[in-house]
Amino acid sequence: MKIILIGPPGAGKGTQAKRLEEKYKIVQLSTGDMLRAEVAAGSELGTQAKAIMEKGGLVPDDLIIGMISGRIDQADCANGFILDGFPRTVPQAEALDDMFQAKGMELDGVIEVVVDDDAMVARITGRFTCAKCGAGYHDTFQRPRQEGVCDNCGGSEFTRRADDNEQTVRERLKAYHDQTAPITGYYGQRGLLKTVDGMASIDEVTKQLTDILG
Ligand code: ADP
Ligand code: ADP
Ligand code: ZN
C-alpha cells in the first residue's frame, strides 16, 4: 500500500502515520524527519536545509526529490509506505509520478486531513516528542498517561522542534496554502483524493482513515 497524507502543519499527519504503520505494516516516510536527521548529522543537504526550515520556508524541490527517491528504494519500503510531508509542491507531485513510473510502483490514494488553520498554532506550539522512540505528544491534547514518562517506551526525555514556534508556524501555514494546497487539485482531477476531518479526536481520525484504507 502506497499512500500520501496531505495537510498543513499540525493537521495530525505524523500522529496518524505512526498508527497506520502498525496496522498496515508499512513505513512512514516523513521528509521533515529525514531533513532533521540530515541537519543533526551536519551533512551537506542538512546544511543547505537548516536556515530554510528555521524560517518555515520550503527546501528546494530538487534536494527533496533526490532524498525521497533514494529512500523508497530501500528494503523496508517493499511492503509499502505513507508519504508524510511529501509531495509539498506541484513539481514534487509530478516528480513523484515519474519516480513511480520508473520504479514500476503505483499510488493507491491520497488523503487530505482537513483542519481549521486557527487551531493549528495551538497544536504546533504544544507539540513534543519522546527523544528515545519518537512517539508524539501534546501539552493539552495528548499527554503521556504518566506525567514525564513515554507511554510507548518508558523514556523520560522529550524534545521540542526549533521551528515549532508561533511565528514560524504562520510562515509554514502560508507556504502550505500557497504551494502545497494546489496539489489537492492535481490528485482530485485524477480521482485519487479522499478527505478526513482532522478536527475530530485522534481516535476518530484514525477510524476515518482505516474506513477509507480498508
Ligand atoms: P503534523 O505531522 O501534521 O504536523 P502532528 O501529528 O505532529 O501533525 O500533530 C500536531 C500536534 O497535535 C501533536 O502534538 C499531536 O499530539 C496533536 N494532535 C494530532 N492530531 C490531533 C487531533 N486530532 N486532535 C488534537 N490534537 C491532535
Ligand atoms: P510539519 O508537517 O509540522 O509542517 P515537517 O516536519 O513536515 O513539518 O517539515 C518541517 C520543515 O521541513 C518544513 O517547514 C520545510 O522547511 C521542510 N520540508 C519538509 N518536507 C518538505 C518538502 N517535501 N519540500 C520542501 N520542504 C520540506
Ligand atoms: Zn518513547
Side-chain angles (χ1 to χ4, degrees):
M1 181 188 288
K2 298 175 190 68
I3 56 168
I4 298 172
L5 288 184
I6 300 180
K13 304 179 298 297
T15 302
Q16 298 298 333
K18 289 225 157 40
R19 292 176 167 209
L20 299 178
E21 270 192 318
E22 281 176 35
K23 182 167 167 72
Y24 297 103
K25 307 288 173 232
I26 55 182
V27 292
Q28 172 197 18
L29 302 183
S30 158
T31 45
D33 285 348
M34 291 162 71
L35 287 168
R36 282 183 287 280
E38 296 285 343
V39 171
S43 71
E44 192 180 332
L45 169 58
T47 309
Q48 287 173 282
K50 188 170 188 278
I52 300 170
M53 293 170 74
E54 279 167 358
K55 282 203 254 76
L58 292 184
V59 175
D61 289 334
D62 55 335
L63 299 181
I64 299 289
I65 291 161
M67 181 178 79
I68 203 85
S69 174
R71 182 67 187 85
I72 63 183
D73 290 334
Q74 289 173 17
D76 62 336
C77 292
N79 196 40
F81 46 81
I82 311 154
L83 292 167
D84 162 9
F86 176 89
R88 236 178 174 96
T89 62
V90 171
Q92 289 183 18
E94 290 167 348
L96 181 66
D97 281 338
D98 294 345
M99 231 182 272
F100 272 24
Q101 204 172 8
K103 297 178 198 290
M105 291 179 174
E106 205 165 330
L107 184 62
D108 294 287
V110 181
I111 305 177
E112 180 187 0
V113 185
V114 179
V115 290
D116 298 339
D117 265 24
D118 292 345
M120 295 305 104
V121 174
R123 286 242 191 127
I124 290 287
T125 54
R127 166 160 73 182
F128 61 99
T129 305
C130 171
K132 197 165 149 200
C133 77
Y137 295 96
H138 190 280
D139 291 330
T140 310
F141 309 127
Q142 199 189 5
R143 302 185 66 87
R145 280 191 292 271
Q146 190 189 333
E147 187 68 38
V149 181
C150 175
D151 297 346
N152 187 49
C153 77
S156 57
E157 250 187 80
F158 298 89
T159 58
R160 289 180 193 259
R161 280 169 47 180
D163 61 341
D164 278 353
N165 58 73
E166 179 163 352
Q167 193 191 348
T168 308
V169 176
R170 294 203 188 279
E171 283 304 316
R172 284 154 60 197
L173 286 169
K174 188 173 178 315
Y176 180 80
H177 290 291
D178 292 348
Q179 297 183 72
T180 307
I183 71 177
T184 59
Y186 180 85
Y187 291 116
Q189 278 172 352
R190 288 159 49 188
L192 282 169
L193 186 72
K194 301 238 166 62
T195 61
V196 294
D197 174 14
M199 297 309 293
S201 70
I202 294 175
D203 286 344
E204 172 58 26
V205 179
T206 306
K207 186 179 176 302
Q208 290 183 22
L209 286 167
T210 54
D211 284 350
I212 290 172
L213 296 170

